[in-house]
Amino acid sequence: MSVLIVGSVALDSIKTPQAQHPRLLGGSASYASVAASFFAPVKMIGIVGDDFPAACLRLYKKHKIDLEGLQVVAGKTFHWSGEYETNMDNRRTLKTELGVFETFTPRLPVSCQKSEFVLLANIAPVLQHHVLDQMRQPKFVVADTMDLWLNIALPDLLKLLKRVDGFVLNESEARQLTRENNLIRAARKLHGMGPKYVIIKKGENGAILSARGKLFIAPAFPLEKVMDPTGAGDSFVGGMMGYLATAKGPVESNIRPAIIYGSILASYCCGGFGLSALTRVTRALIARRFKELENLTRF
Ligand code: AMP
């Protein structure tokens, strides 16, 4: 079963205390699609300008990502730049140049409208709605978001939450959206807004899944060195959705291992700049880290 993924496709310029890399392939759709591709066929919906490097297209193709829904139009590809502080926890956005992203209206080819698993990766909620409007009968829809949309598009986001099965957000976003400091109570409030599955990401402290009151605590894979955490959240949710699309049985039975696979893809993402580490991953490496994490948490 394939996963349909809509989100941003970007060229990212990233600065850490150690290094600086300009114009790397990035964007929420890129990270999520590559992560999902280790488990399931992926159809990606997005937009790029005519400056988009051919090498980036080749990278998607290497991961067998279906690009029928990727619009290539005259103009500049979305460019985002960010800088990390010493501890890699705090990130500052330096520049956001929307380029062709400003005029993006997702158009789904017929082949994409029947996808059963849909990931609305981080993108303006109005565009996430637009994708859902074109879907026939999706079986499982998950939305991701970022603080920007909580600040400038809250009514659209709240409407979206009534249309999705799962919602993924980080802990500060959960607190902001619910005005609730305690994450268990925040998750309960988030269920009240619509989604059956609420997943709160806590960076290096793992993630919490709440599925109608039942909790699952997922650890993050412990890393000695983080090179670049950009896209870790997108890789997490991409890995999770890719696994869910091919796992046998109902989502309810598969969501816990799916989150662990998400954590593992996120950990690989942090091991290199941009997508460089994620694209070198194999199924065997994923299986090895899955086992290691199992051993680290068994008691
Ligand atoms: P994350 O580290 O998981 O928050 O995701 C980082 C990615 O989000 C980068 O590759 C950026 O290109 C992308 N990004 C940054 N700002 C936006 C935005 N306003 N809309 C969509 N994607 C964005």
Side-chain angles (χ1 to χ4, degrees), residues 18-19 37 61 68 104 139 142 148 160 179 184 293 299:
Q18 282 79 37
S37 75
K61 285 185 184 143
E68 205 189 335
F104 182 37
K139 186 169 152 191
V142 168
L148 175 70
L160 184 81
R179 293 169 199 273
I184 312 300
L293 198 52
F299 62 90

Side-chain angles (χ1 to χ4, degrees), residues 28 119-123 128 142-146 149 157 160 166-170 173 201 233-234 237:
S28 57
L119 171 56
L120 307 170
N122 173 28
I123 199 173
Q128 294 174 313
V142 168
D144 194 354
T145 197
M146 73 187 288
W149 312 123
L157 180 65
L160 184 81
F167 185 38
V168 179
L169 70 177
N170 66 35
E173 292 156 2
K201 297 171 292 175
D234 309 311
V237 69

